[in-house]
Amino acid sequence: MSASHLKERVRLVWRDMKKYKHAYVLLAPYFIIFLTFTAFPVLMSVALSFTNFNMLQSPEWVGWSNYAKLFVNDDIFLISLKNTLLFAAITGPISYMACFLFAWLVNELPPKIRAIMTLILYAPSISGNTYLIWQLIFSGDSYGFANSFLMNWGFSLEPIQWLQDTKYMLVILMIVQLWLSLGTAFLAFIAGLQNVDPTLYEAGAIDGVRNRWQELWFITLPAMRPQLLFGAVIQIASSFAVAEISMNLVGFPSVDYAANTIVTHLIDYGTIRFEMGYSSAIATVLFAIMLLTNLITQRLLRKVGE
Amino acid sequence: MLTAMFTAFLLIGWSIPAFASPAETYTYSFWGKPVPAPEPYAVAGVANGIDLGVGALKTPNDLHVAANGTIVLADTGNNRVLVMNKEMKVTRVIDRFHTNDTFNGPEGVFHDGKGQIYVADTGNRRIVVVKEDGTFVRTIGEPKSPLLRNTFQYTPVKLAVDRADRIYVVSKGSYEGILEFESDGRFDGFVGTNKVKFNPIDLLWKRISTKTQRSQMEQFIPLEFNNLDIGQDGFIFTTTSEEDSDQPIKKLNPSGADILRSKGYFPPKGDTGNLMLGSRRGSSIFVDVTGDVSGMYSGLDSKRGRIFTYDKDGNMLYEFGGLGSQQSNFRTPVAIAMQGEQVLVLDRDIGRITTLAPTRYGSLIREAVVNLSNGKVEASTAAWSKVLQLNANYDIAYSGIGKSLLKKGENREAITYFKLGNNREWYSEAFKRYRKEVVQSHFGTIVLIAAIVIAFIAFAVKWGGRRLAGQYYEEVGMLRNPFYTMIHPFNGFWEMKYEHKGRIKIALAILFALVVFLIIKQQYSGFVVNFSNPAEWNSMDTLKFVVLPFVLWCVANWSLTTLMDGEGKFREIVMATAYALMPFLVIYLPQTLYSNVITQNEASFYYLLDGLALVWFIWLLFVGTMTVHQYTPSKTVATMLLTLVVIGIMLFLGVLFFSMLQQMISFAISIFRELSFRY
């Protein structure tokens, strides 16, 4: 690519930009807000992750040392990473499928009942402190529902410390997370299912769709691909950003750090120790992981209906 | 069948030595095999009543050694208590006290180390306290308390006294636990009740039966303790005579909870493994336990007359003793006590006390354990090394050396020792530290390599995508077909069936590769997740576990689908099944590599990968079966389940056939013998 050629390109682009200046003006409000409130903070955080910053003194450049410390010296981070990945690998896909399955089932109901069922299924994820119920169920004394059931029926002889025992913590958190997960994605799927053009089904029937599964795979899913993508993003973000339930159910920090996640680690370093550079590094790692999973998921979803 | 017989023979060969002569002491390896070990204790002397000069002992039941070495013995049949000094000379025979009061079959005795002897006077249902010279102190009668049920029968058999002079009594038939008396003789309550064991089904029956039925059922009551001892740290050791319990020995803290650690290969329950062979069957039954220095303790097993010594973590250190008529063996051992390093064992039927002293091997182990628990790392390592010279199969020694190396920060050497000691928990810890060292020193290189790999993958994906862009239909070659099928099962299997894309050769190659990969996985997967015994590795086994199910599945599926109008030919079934195995092929190698760089708590990912491979395989098999036979999904599921049933039937017929064949052969042989003897 020669210099003159490049010049020519720049000129052409500039000309085009002048031509569509109205479009840029219309785009500006959103774009400015997006830049200041989303893109800039993210980039800022990435930049801060290479510094040592404690909110009082000005940040001092330290290069990769935050990352080195994170992956080598920070055992708790490795535990958190392990927990988060396990969490995402198990609850992410299951909750995504559950969302779709429930949406699909609810969609079959008559309108009035559908509205009620939607509310019932959606309720857990909007109710504020649902942890109370789960704390009752998995209470460590013999009055907790789970313990009293097991002891009454002779499965166990003594109360199990559900929320203090490192063996059970993660599993319980996963169960609670699954229960909470019928959220935004679920609503999006219902909307998507409503939007599928009924004529497509008729066309499919004529063209030789043999059963419900084929109908689902070749017509319903491709027709609601935008909602599927949106749901995937939401669900991945929520399964990677698990922190609230961990802190509320098993305490913060949890016993032996067995239920710590990346986000709780982040909260620890960011809001308790104010090591902003270090917590920015944690956030950047989390961001990178989420971005990668999102890309992979989108690639997979593109294959839907093929 | 033949192999089964053969393994049975092997097992008999490996089983617990039925009649242990003194030279047949052993330890248990990680795989539950008794491994011969040097003798830890040897007989230093035996003494019966005649030798002691007090006339024959009649069914003596208990023996206790005080801290100062004084021995007291309950000579139950003669209604007397013997007091001996350190050298086993009888200093006093107590049979009368407090103006002609006598004992009536005393079964338990305890010396509190302050000159007072407590006797459980079983026949008179009381506890008698006397001084060493026989002067009477007091008696403690039956406890009176609303805590006791009406039918409670107080028969004190064993007792112990702690530093605060509280008296703990085991009463025969008292399932509520150990009776605790204050120092002034007031009954205080029960401590450390054993837990009731029952299963949910029994409980369900009990729930739905009427009151009269319930009263006729067997009751769930806790087991009673049969013996107790106070350890050197003041905690109470107890034994319970229960078959197949994992906690026959307990260590009770002041609130009566069991705090005995069980960190060894097996719970501290004596003999383990295949107990249904030999003349005396079943698990060990402990009748006495004695505390020892540094949290060690020894239990006396009445079933095989063996003494098992454990350290404070529950690792079995050594075993010795046994039943038999030699001097070093026992007939009915009932009590055990430690006199310093020596072990005293009381035999009830012979009425004899056996003194065993540690051999060089035994005392080295003890030295190492004591030093390790006192934090003297160097000394304990030295002792462990000497133990290993005497017994190279001694896993605990390797772990012990590993722990001291870890303390010194020599992680790499520690890894080796923990591996030899088969101690996965500590191996994991050492490996974690070593890994940290390595990553820290090569952080830049590792990041660089990772970046290069990621860039390479990104480039490859981009380039591959560009090459395939704009093609609606992609042509897949024979070799790429299996990989294509993994990701596009519907298309792949369709092409295999109707467009002749499958090849039997490739299918068999996949099968063979799977066997190879499985062997690799078994051999080289990381120590943390590798539980296969290198002494029992056999590639033929792997072949059996892969090829045999594969062949059975294909044959069963073919025979079933021909009846259920499936369209598949046998060739296609073989191909579809083999192609469905691809996920294992793809996942196993990276998984094996990965397993070598993980610690114990990262192992969950390893198992997750296993699960992923399995689910993927089942999915592919399902789609393959569906496509090959042109079935509906529900019919496919039914067919697959039925295929499993058919496999079961085939196996049953095979076993039947072989056993019939064996019968026929042995019949023919016996006829031939008969004829050859006759003519």
Side-chain angles (χ1 to χ4, degrees):
Chain A
M1 213 181 264
S2 60
S4 62
H5 192 85
L6 195 71
K7 238 184 191 153
E8 183 64 19
R9 279 289 297 273
V10 169
R11 203 178 59 79
L12 284 175
V13 168
W14 185 242
R15 199 191 65 193
D16 275 0
M17 278 174 80
K18 267 209 276 209
K19 196 160 136 197
Y20 298 117
K21 55 177 174 291
H22 305 95
Y24 283 105
V25 169
L26 290 172
L27 198 67
Y30 164 77
F31 211 79
I32 288 163
I33 289 170
F34 171 79
L35 272 179
T36 34
F37 292 105
T38 309
F40 177 71
V42 168
L43 293 174
M44 192 67 215
S45 158
V46 173
L48 271 180
S49 71
F50 295 101
T51 65
N52 190 349
F53 181 43
N54 59 5
M55 308 271 287
L56 298 171
Q57 293 145 312
S58 60
E60 133 200 30
W61 184 262
V62 289
W64 287 101
S65 91
N66 274 337
Y67 290 93
K69 204 162 85 178
L70 193 61
F71 281 106
V72 179
N73 266 339
D74 198 344
D75 282 343
I76 300 165
F77 174 72
L78 289 183
I79 295 172
S80 310
L81 185 67
K82 180 205 94 177
N83 286 346
T84 310
L85 288 178
L86 263 183
F87 222 99
I90 293 169
T91 59
I94 293 179
S95 70
Y96 188 68
M97 293 194 186
C99 277
F100 183 80
L101 192 75
F102 280 107
W104 202 34
L105 292 174
V106 164
N107 196 42
E108 302 293 307
L109 299 169
K112 279 224 173 70
I113 303 175
R114 186 195 306 154
I116 294 167
M117 279 304 289
T118 308
L119 183 66
I120 289 172
L121 288 173
Y122 185 57
S125 58
I126 46 172
S127 49
N129 192 354
T130 51
Y131 312 114
L132 193 68
I133 302 165
W134 292 98
Q135 267 162 346
L136 255 179
I137 292 174
F138 289 115
S139 171
D141 54 22
S142 53
Y143 301 108
F145 293 171
N147 275 335
S148 79
F149 171 81
L150 288 177
M151 283 161 75
N152 270 335
W153 290 102
F155 291 101
S156 65
L157 296 171
E158 47 190 7
I160 299 168
Q161 299 281 337
W162 297 108
L163 301 175
Q164 276 77 44
D165 193 330
T166 52
K167 280 204 296 274
Y168 305 111
M169 271 191 212
L170 259 192
V171 179
I172 287 171
L173 285 189
M174 280 174 191
I175 292 167
V176 177
Q177 172 69 17
L178 283 176
W179 181 72
L180 288 171
S181 66
L182 289 179
T184 324
F186 167 69
L187 289 185
F189 288 162
I190 287 184
L193 283 163
Q194 298 282 312
N195 277 338
V196 180
D197 190 352
T199 54
L200 284 177
Y201 292 125
E202 289 166 25
I206 293 164
D207 283 343
V209 166
R210 278 201 301 269
N211 51 37
R212 291 296 305 268
W213 296 108
Q214 287 195 332
E215 197 174 78
L216 179 72
W217 182 253
F218 289 112
I219 299 166
T220 315
L221 288 178
M224 56 184 289
R225 197 173 290 161
Q227 283 85 2
L228 286 178
L229 278 173
F230 170 75
V233 174
I234 294 283
Q235 222 54 302
I236 286 166
S238 71
S239 62
F240 272 111
V242 159
E244 279 286 303
I245 58 166
S246 164
M247 287 161 83
N248 278 295
L249 276 177
V250 298
F252 174 62
S254 50
V255 176
D256 215 358
Y257 301 107
N260 265 34
T261 63
I262 298 183
V263 179
T264 57
H265 203 58
L266 185 73
I267 289 167
D268 184 3
Y269 277 92
T271 61
I272 296 176
R273 309 182 197 212
F274 288 109
E275 293 185 24
M276 285 302 159
Y278 194 62
S279 52
S280 294
I282 299 172
T284 311
V285 169
L286 183 63
F287 180 69
I289 294 172
M290 278 196 194
L291 208 62
L292 197 72
T293 357
N294 257 325
L295 287 173
I296 292 168
T297 322
Q298 297 200 1
R299 285 194 82 87
L300 285 177
L301 282 174
R302 250 179 255 158
K303 293 206 184 301
V304 163
E306 280 174 9
Chain B
M1 202 63 209
L2 284 167
T3 49
M5 294 287 289
F6 185 63
T7 39
F9 266 113
L10 272 181
L11 279 175
I12 291 165
W14 272 112
S15 69
I16 300 163
F19 299 101
S21 77
E24 273 189 0
T25 54
Y26 55 90
T27 53
Y28 278 110
S29 75
F30 177 77
W31 286 281
K33 296 261 163 64
V35 181
E39 218 186 338
Y41 268 78
V43 177
V46 289
N48 57 23
I50 318 279
D51 306 334
L52 296 170
V54 289
L57 302 176
K58 212 159 138 200
T59 58
N61 260 317
D62 199 9
L63 156 110
H64 182 253
V65 181
N68 60 8
T70 310
I71 306 165
V72 283
L73 186 145
D75 191 359
T76 313
N78 293 326
N79 299 330
R80 62 185 180 175
V81 170
L82 306 182
V83 186
M84 294 170 258
N85 63 6
K86 263 202 246 309
E87 288 76 38
M88 279 256 213
K89 295 275 175 297
V90 177
T91 53
R92 187 153 203 99
V93 178
I94 304 169
D95 48 4
R96 293 186 181 283
F97 52 91
H98 194 45
T99 61
N100 271 349
D101 201 344
T102 53
F103 294 118
N104 182 0
E107 285 187 29
V109 67
F110 192 92
H111 188 299
D112 69 352
K114 302 168 194 162
Q116 290 198 343
I117 298 168
Y118 292 72
V119 183
D121 193 359
T122 312
N124 292 330
R125 302 199 172 167
R126 63 179 179 177
I127 293 162
V128 179
V129 188
V130 288
K131 286 225 163 68
E132 256 180 62
D133 57 6
T135 47
F136 173 76
V137 181
R138 62 191 166 130
T139 60
I140 297 164
E142 278 199 49
K144 293 273 176 287
S145 162
L147 286 171
L148 301 169
R149 59 197 148 96
N150 297 333
T151 54
F152 181 77
Q153 287 273 356
Y154 180 59
T155 20
V157 284
K158 296 280 186 275
L159 77 173
V161 181
D162 70 4
R163 284 175 206 153
D165 288 342
R166 275 187 298 260
I167 308 162
Y168 298 94
V169 181
V170 170
S171 159
K172 204 178 279 174
S174 120
Y175 52 75
E176 294 95 333
I178 296 170
L179 293 93
E180 185 184 342
F181 292 89
E182 286 293 322
S183 51
D184 58 4
R186 260 184 315 116
F187 173 63
D188 213 19
F190 293 99
V191 284
T193 316
N194 271 325
K195 295 220 162 49
V196 181
K197 274 200 193 132
F198 51 87
N199 59 21
I201 295 147
D202 285 347
L203 192 70
L204 184 73
W205 281 119
K206 240 188 158 80
R207 284 270 164 92
I208 58 178
S209 52
T210 59
K211 230 187 181 112
T212 41
Q213 283 173 320
R214 216 174 301 165
S215 61
Q216 286 162 356
M217 280 188 198
E218 61 170 335
Q219 286 186 304
F220 299 137
I221 50 171
L223 283 152
E224 51 190 274
F225 293 114
N226 61 4
N227 211 329
L228 81 170
D229 186 37
I230 299 266
Q232 297 204 334
D233 46 7
F235 290 86
I236 310 174
F237 284 107
T238 63
T239 54
T240 312
S241 51
E242 184 186 357
E243 285 272 353
D244 296 322
S245 157
D246 275 354
Q247 292 120 350
I249 301 176
K250 290 191 180 69
K251 188 179 187 180
L252 306 176
N253 67 1
S255 64
D258 178 18
I259 54 162
L260 200 68
R261 287 164 63 89
S262 170
K263 286 279 186 189
Y265 298 150
F266 304 100
K269 59 175 189 180
D271 279 320
T272 179
N274 198 340
L275 299 167
M276 287 298 143
L277 297 159
S279 55
R280 287 166 172 274
R281 297 179 173 189
S283 61
S284 306
I285 297 291
F286 286 101
V287 288
D288 196 6
V289 58
T290 177
D292 198 344
V293 286
S294 324
M296 289 191 275
Y297 55 96
S298 303
L300 175 65
D301 160 31
S302 66
K303 186 168 279 184
R304 298 183 184 83
R306 293 172 186 163
I307 293 141
F308 295 90
T309 304
Y310 295 91
D311 68 2
K312 64 172 187 286
D313 288 335
N315 295 307
M316 183 171 139
L317 295 171
Y318 46 78
E319 167 279 343
F320 57 98
L323 295 179
S325 46
Q326 286 168 301
Q327 275 225 316
S328 58
N329 289 350
F330 322 112
R331 189 176 301 164
T332 39
V334 287
I336 178 176
M338 298 291 299
Q339 191 181 35
E341 289 245 294
Q342 294 188 325
V343 173
L344 303 184
V345 179
L346 176 68
D347 200 313
R348 187 178 59 203
D349 288 4
I350 316 174
R352 186 174 74 181
I353 305 170
T354 312
T355 312
L356 297 117
T359 58
R360 180 158 180 270
Y361 173 74
S363 56
L364 279 172
I365 292 177
R366 296 176 63 88
E367 187 190 325
V369 171
V370 171
N371 281 327
L372 195 62
S373 89
N374 294 344
K376 295 177 185 161
V377 175
E378 301 286 337
S380 97
T381 305
W384 282 133
S385 314
K386 283 182 197 145
V387 170
L388 286 175
Q389 283 167 5
L390 294 168
N391 179 10
N393 291 330
Y394 200 65
D395 287 358
I396 300 162
Y398 290 113
S399 290
I401 294 175
K403 280 176 196 168
S404 0
L405 286 170
L406 204 63
K407 272 203 178 117
K408 282 189 236 162
E410 293 168 13
N411 300 330
R412 185 151 188 184
E413 293 77 6
I415 288 176
T416 323
Y417 273 100
F418 286 131
K419 201 164 179 170
L420 284 168
N422 240 319
N423 196 327
R424 280 171 177 74
E425 195 182 340
W426 284 91
Y427 170 91
S428 191
E429 181 57 35
F431 184 81
K432 192 159 93 187
R433 296 186 189 183
Y434 178 63
R435 188 176 65 179
K436 200 190 258 186
E437 274 175 34
V438 171
V439 174
Q440 206 146 11
S441 54
H442 302 99
F443 188 71
T445 330
I446 289 170
V447 169
L448 191 71
I449 288 169
I452 289 169
V453 168
I454 288 167
F456 178 77
I457 289 171
F459 177 76
V461 167
K462 229 185 166 70
W463 184 77
R466 187 173 298 172
R467 209 169 52 95
L468 292 173
Q471 294 179 2
Y472 179 70
Y473 175 77
E474 52 178 317
E475 186 62 39
V476 187
M478 295 298 168
L479 284 174
R480 268 193 57 207
N481 187 278
F483 296 96
Y484 177 78
T485 308
M486 271 173 75
I487 302 160
H488 308 89
F490 288 98
N491 281 350
F493 285 119
W494 180 272
E495 285 173 11
M496 195 181 84
K497 188 174 166 67
Y498 292 104
E499 296 169 25
H500 306 292
K501 281 282 170 67
R503 288 283 178 280
I504 280 281
K505 267 185 213 155
I506 292 177
L508 293 179
I510 289 172
L511 194 65
F512 178 72
L514 180 66
V515 172
V516 172
F517 283 14
L518 257 175
I519 292 169
I520 288 172
K521 185 177 169 179
Q522 199 179 25
Q523 290 262 39
Y524 297 108
S525 63
F527 182 65
V528 177
V529 290
N530 194 341
F531 291 98
S532 49
N533 183 354
E536 289 179 350
W537 272 337
N538 185 350
S539 306
M540 284 298 136
D541 273 0
T542 321
L543 211 62
K544 248 189 333 220
F545 285 119
V546 176
V547 176
L548 188 71
F550 179 82
V551 172
L552 276 175
W553 171 270
C554 292
V555 173
N557 194 300
W558 175 81
S559 42
L560 199 67
T561 49
T562 42
L563 296 175
M564 294 171 64
D565 48 61
E567 287 182 19
K569 302 184 184 67
F570 185 68
R571 214 174 133 261
E572 286 164 356
I573 295 170
V574 171
M575 282 191 302
T577 313
Y579 278 32
L581 290 170
M582 279 302 289
F584 291 119
L585 226 57
V586 171
I587 286 177
Y588 274 177
L589 274 190
Q591 191 193 20
T592 308
L593 284 176
Y594 167 75
S595 72
N596 280 298
V597 294
I598 52 172
T599 59
Q600 219 165 12
N601 61 4
E602 288 152 9
S604 36
F605 284 104
Y606 175 89
Y607 297 120
L608 191 73
L609 280 175
D610 262 341
L612 186 75
L614 188 69
V615 169
W616 199 351
F617 158 72
I618 289 170
W619 162 245
L620 286 183
L621 193 64
F622 169 77
V623 175
T625 313
M626 200 159 86
T627 317
V628 164
H629 298 302
Q630 294 296 301
Y631 279 164
T632 57
S634 54
K635 197 172 176 183
T636 312
V637 172
T639 312
M640 282 166 84
L641 293 176
L642 275 173
T643 307
L644 291 179
V645 174
V646 171
I647 287 177
I649 295 169
M650 278 162 69
L651 282 174
F652 172 74
L653 287 176
V655 171
L656 195 72
F657 173 76
F658 273 111
S659 58
M660 293 285 283
L661 205 65
Q662 263 178 331
Q663 299 267 358
M664 276 161 65
I665 290 167
S666 63
F667 176 71
I669 287 171
S670 52
I671 289 268
F672 172 77
R673 277 220 186 105
E674 185 85 11
L675 291 174
S676 63
F677 284 137
R678 237 162 235 236
Y679 304 107

